[in-house]
Amino acid sequence: MVASCFMITTILGIESSCDETAAAVVNDGRVLLSSVVASQISIHRKYGGVVPELASREHLRQIVPVVREALLQAEIDFHALDAIGVTQGPGLVGALLVGITYGKTLAGALDIPLVPVNHLEGHVHAVFLEAAQAGRVPKLPAVCLIVSGGHTVIYEVREQGAGLENGEGAQPGLAVPHELGPEGHRPHELGLFAYRKLGGTRDDAAGEAYDKVAKLLALGYPGGPILDRLAAHARVGPPVKFSVTKMKGNAFDFSFSGLKTAVLYHLREHPEYNEEIHLRNLSLERGERSFEQLLALCSPQTLALIREFQDAVVRDLLERTMVAAESVSAESVLVSGGVAANSALRLAFEARGKASGIETFFPSRALSTDNAAMIAAAAYPRFRAGIFGDARLNADPSLALA
Ligand code: KG4
Ligand code: ZN
């Protein structure tokens, strides 16, 4: 037998930036062994959004069982881990601190490195992780649209060393070696990416607009999944047409608060919606919030309104992202984040990708929304580069990717 030179790196990812407590085990950044997500939706639902204090408390309750379950599903124990990747930011400070503190303690106890990860870089890696499961690798340079409840932003993604340097800067608690990697690898050999922000939302994130419109229509929280399904049931023409928001300045910026306000004004001007909104509110209060129960309480006009709202969001995300892709001669377009789970968005990007010859990539729905597999995947090249956090590592609620 030939002596094996396979060195597999097993990383535990931990994510606690918002309202999901998640842990996952990934080998070599691309082989998914397990991914466990404990959602807090049932806790925040009655407030119509995430309550930071409640989120931190729930992360504290969930972190230990979630990590245990991730190891159990991966069929390994703590001693098989080579590193721990943890979300450093952006996100809610109290929520982030739970994951960071747990990660630091565990890494210290196991005497393995702790690798701080930017949550947004995690969303980029979710796409690469998913593609790898199908034996595909998105070509670079790419443009990545990250679209969720907290973010709507377009980045140019290149290999590090190919013209866009991030420069981690000197942060307390973060060691960035001069000679990257234990064997002095060059950045692109490690799979490190460099990012440039091309545009972002000036007000609400797209997912936030979904959540607010669902609230106006009494369709519960979060709004994205239910509006997505209801839109598919529209059978009549739109009761109103929403135009693309025109803005001065950067053509790759977004604005969704005007669209939400347009829905609000339309509802105010048409009192015929009031009765069904009242009935749906009663239904939600009774805990009757399933898709079928709410669909039965939606008029054809409401379904068509939802469809028009969704079309406007999708059109805007698609157009600005594709123009951005052309402007940097991107070889592929990546779409990630909670709203990337949207059926109409996926269809629109796939169709445009085919027509324009730019390959489009999405994570599975499970890896589109917040998860820890993407954190473990993003931690891998950083682990190889020796970018480690120490005991002083702190949460950074507004950590930027570029
Ligand atoms: O990435 P994520 O889990 O958490 C954040 O970082 O925000 O995204 C959650 C957001 C919510 O606003 C939710 O309404 C939206 O993603 N979302 C969707 C869909 N599924 C989740 N929006 C549109 N269509 C969907 N199918
Ligand atoms: Zn996210």
Side-chain angles (χ1 to χ4, degrees):
M1 256 193 40
V2 183
S4 167
C5 59
F6 296 135
M7 280 285 290
I8 293 174
T9 302
T10 302
I11 297 184
L12 170 71
I14 295 175
E15 155 64 32
S16 68
S17 66
C18 191
D19 61 341
E20 268 99 19
T21 319
V25 180
V26 175
N27 275 351
D28 292 341
R30 294 294 177 255
V31 182
L32 180 59
L33 300 191
S34 68
S35 178
V36 177
V37 180
S39 166
Q40 304 179 2
I41 284 176
S42 58
I43 291 168
H44 302 289
R45 176 172 277 149
K46 53 180 170 293
Y47 306 99
V50 179
V51 183
E53 291 302 317
L54 295 181
S56 318
R57 212 180 299 165
E58 191 59 15
H59 284 307
L60 270 175
R61 269 171 30 82
Q62 293 289 355
I63 188 96
V64 171
V66 164
V67 168
R68 282 219 183 102
E69 183 62 25
L71 293 177
L72 201 70
Q73 287 187 17
E75 298 182 7
I76 59 164
D77 73 14
F78 284 112
H79 298 287
L81 296 175
D82 295 299
I84 294 171
V86 68
T87 305
Q88 187 189 3
L92 303 169
V93 67
L96 289 163
L97 276 171
V98 176
I100 292 177
T101 309
Y102 180 85
K104 262 188 214 170
T105 313
L106 188 58
L110 296 172
D111 197 21
I112 56 175
L114 178 69
V115 181
V117 173
N118 184 308
H119 178 84
L120 296 168
E121 181 159 41
H123 278 302
V124 175
H125 276 268
V127 183
F128 284 85
L129 178 60
E130 183 73 35
Q133 314 306 303
R136 300 171 72 203
V137 183
K139 285 201 198 100
L140 299 180
V143 151
C144 184
L145 168 69
I146 299 174
V147 61
S148 70
H151 307 278
T152 301
V153 57
I154 304 177
Y155 291 106
E156 178 184 1
V157 186
R158 290 184 184 265
E159 285 172 352
Q160 221 182 86
L164 291 175
E165 297 310 329
N166 298 41
E168 293 271 354
Q171 280 183 47
L174 188 69
V176 184
H178 290 299
E179 284 295 320
L180 283 174
E183 296 108 41
H185 285 293
R186 295 179 46 208
H188 73 273
E189 290 167 342
L190 298 169
L192 284 171
F193 299 147
Y195 303 93
R196 180 160 65 107
K197 186 174 171 182
L198 299 177
T201 184
R202 295 187 188 174
D203 39 59
D204 293 353
E208 201 177 348
Y210 266 96
D211 296 338
K212 286 178 175 172
V213 166
K215 196 170 180 180
L216 290 174
L217 289 169
L219 287 165
Y221 174 84
I226 185 134
L227 293 186
D228 185 359
R229 293 183 71 187
L230 290 172
H233 283 71
R235 299 284 177 262
V236 299
V240 55
K241 284 293 260 178
F242 299 126
S243 54
V244 170
T245 310
K246 293 210 172 54
M247 286 181 302
K248 290 207 174 90
N250 186 358
F252 310 138
D253 277 350
F254 297 97
S255 166
F256 292 104
S257 81
L259 183 57
K260 169 210 66 192
T261 309
V263 174
L264 173 69
Y265 286 168
H266 176 75
L267 294 177
R268 278 199 191 147
E269 284 157 16
H270 295 83
E272 62 269 29
Y273 288 102
N274 291 349
E275 175 65 13
E276 57 176 302
I277 288 176
H278 176 64
L279 291 176
R280 288 195 297 269
N281 267 325
L282 292 179
S283 177
L284 292 176
E285 277 168 25
R286 289 194 300 272
E288 293 169 6
R289 55 180 70 254
S290 75
F291 170 72
E292 287 72 21
Q293 285 163 332
L294 292 169
L295 173 64
L297 296 173
C298 287
S299 66
Q301 191 180 353
T302 293
L303 296 175
L305 175 67
I306 293 169
R307 169 74 172 266
E308 175 60 16
F309 162 75
Q310 173 155 288
D311 283 353
V313 174
V314 169
R315 261 195 315 267
D316 209 28
L317 293 172
L318 176 71
E319 293 310 325
R320 292 189 206 274
T321 307
M322 295 312 288
V323 177
E326 279 157 27
S327 79
V328 299
S329 307
E331 300 262 1
S332 40
V333 167
L334 324 174
V335 188
S336 194
V339 183
N342 187 270
S343 335
L345 187 76
R346 285 173 173 254
L347 286 175
F349 269 94
E350 271 155 23
R352 180 66 75 82
K354 280 205 184 94
S356 65
I358 301 181
E359 268 197 295
T360 55
F361 292 84
F362 283 81
S364 62
R365 284 189 166 76
L367 293 185
S368 293
T369 48
D370 285 351
N371 66 87
M374 68 185 199
I375 303 302
Y380 177 62
R382 295 167 68 78
F383 168 78
R384 293 185 70 204
I387 302 172
F388 301 152
D390 64 26
R392 291 167 303 161
L393 184 77
N394 208 349
D396 187 343
S398 49
L399 185 64
L401 186 56

